[in-house]
Amino acid sequence: MSAAGPILEVEAIQAFYGTIQALKGVTLQVNQGEIVTLIGANGAGKSTTLRTINGLMHPKAGKIRFEGQDITTTPPHQIVAMGISQSPEGRKLFPRMSVTENLEMGAFQRKDKENFKDDTERVFEYFPRLYERRTQKAGTMSGGEQQMCAIGRALMARPKLLMLDEPSMGLAPVFIEKIFEIVVQINKDGTPVLLVEQNALMALDVANRGYVLETGRVALEGPAAELKVNDRVRKTYLGEG
Ligand code: ATP
């Protein structure tokens, strides 16, 4: 596979909750080296798209390929082992465990436990604040610190693709900026990122390309810089007009 080739290919996936069709044929791609953002209003299907990729849900139609391998019906634990790791919406940390213990949980599927220390140190380099708080119970930290811990935990699996579901949710602007800066750094260090966001402006600032999801369909796609100046995007998602 070439260095700039696709790492993730989602092809015309359809997904349902009972009889409710959440995805009506979503196609998207993440290439090596990229930050790709998936933006859209509440209920557009962003989280459902991530759920079908990480295997928590299987699409009724369509295909998902990771590094060229079909993962459409692969179970979630195998998908993590293959190299897709997600920091979930709402963070979902273990609140009574310390920061270090939460990070350890992110590495639990890995066989090479001897690298645990190096990986923890790498997470602490991205997030010095987590090092200061390493013995603190995760549930007692601020929202921004918990978000850092959730991203750090996802990194502990040494992902080949990092998926982030609304990392800016509920955070103060200064934390949002910090977190996006670190996402850019993680990407520069070699990890492609699929970033789901309602905060379209911030997401399009850091992404290479973007997809705009509307009621289960991709309504627009293109280079992030183009989407940012697109009239429809500006009116609908950037609060202009
Ligand atoms: P949000 O930002 O609110 O998470 P989203 O773009 O991620 O929005 P999804 O959560 O993927 O949207 O939801 C897509 C559609 O599927 C919506 O119509 C939603 O109501 C529906 N849906 C999501 N989860 C469920 C569920 N567990 N049961 C039934 N319907 C669901």
Side-chain angles (χ1 to χ4, degrees):
M1 199 178 298
S2 81
I7 184 158
L8 177 75
E9 299 156 279
V10 172
E11 265 176 37
I13 52 166
Q14 298 187 33
F16 292 79
Y17 296 101
T19 57
I20 300 169
Q21 186 164 13
L23 302 181
K24 299 169 182 168
V26 170
T27 298
L28 63 87
Q29 189 169 317
V30 179
N31 297 312
Q32 293 288 0
E34 282 187 318
I35 299 181
V36 172
T37 187
L38 187 59
I39 57 180
N42 241 322
K46 305 181 299 295
S47 298
T48 306
T49 303
L50 291 189
R51 234 172 268 145
T52 58
I53 298 168
N54 66 28
L56 289 178
M57 230 173 125
H58 297 309
K60 272 232 170 96
K63 268 212 176 352
I64 304 174
R65 272 190 294 270
F66 180 63
E67 293 191 305
Q69 269 186 281
D70 190 329
I71 57 161
T72 316
T73 58
T74 305
H77 66 277
Q78 269 181 36
I79 289 181
V80 176
M82 287 171 83
I84 301 182
S85 179
Q86 182 176 336
S87 174
E89 182 178 352
R91 307 184 278 266
K92 311 234 163 39
L93 295 175
F94 299 97
R96 283 200 279 257
M97 287 186 179
S98 71
V99 167
T100 307
E101 285 163 343
N102 267 281
L103 294 179
E104 201 168 339
M105 296 308 285
F108 85 104
Q109 273 211 340
R110 291 212 349 239
K111 306 210 165 56
D112 54 333
K113 301 278 190 236
E114 70 276 9
N115 291 322
F116 174 71
K117 196 165 165 279
D118 287 351
D119 291 343
T120 318
E121 276 167 15
R122 179 167 164 251
V123 170
F124 289 150
E125 272 170 33
Y126 285 126
F127 302 106
R129 175 87 70 133
L130 289 183
Y131 179 73
E132 290 162 23
R133 303 276 154 119
R134 64 195 179 280
T135 59
Q136 191 170 328
K137 285 187 175 42
T140 65
M141 298 197 298
S142 76
E145 290 162 347
Q146 290 191 32
Q147 188 57 258
M148 291 174 177
C149 191
I151 296 173
R153 186 180 55 183
L155 288 176
M156 292 296 291
R158 294 202 179 179
K160 294 179 188 165
L161 172 68
L162 178 65
M163 302 205 297
L164 303 172
D165 195 355
E166 309 244 10
S168 77
M169 194 171 62
L171 301 189
V174 0
F175 263 125
I176 299 179
E177 238 165 73
K178 187 81 210 144
I179 282 183
F180 276 67
E181 262 170 37
I182 293 159
V183 169
V184 168
Q185 193 54 49
I186 291 167
N187 174 254
K188 281 197 180 134
D189 293 344
T191 310
V193 178
L194 179 58
L195 169 68
V196 160
E197 263 299 337
Q198 277 195 55
N199 192 335
L201 190 57
M202 291 293 288
L204 289 172
D205 264 342
V206 300
N208 303 100
R209 292 187 305 112
Y211 295 85
V212 179
L213 214 54
E214 276 176 17
T215 56
R217 286 194 173 86
V218 175
L220 280 171
E221 62 177 280
E226 282 175 25
L227 289 178
K228 245 186 101 173
V229 296
N230 178 289
D231 274 351
R232 188 157 150 209
V233 173
R234 296 198 76 85
K235 283 195 185 109
T236 317
Y237 302 99
L238 307 179
E240 290 184 3

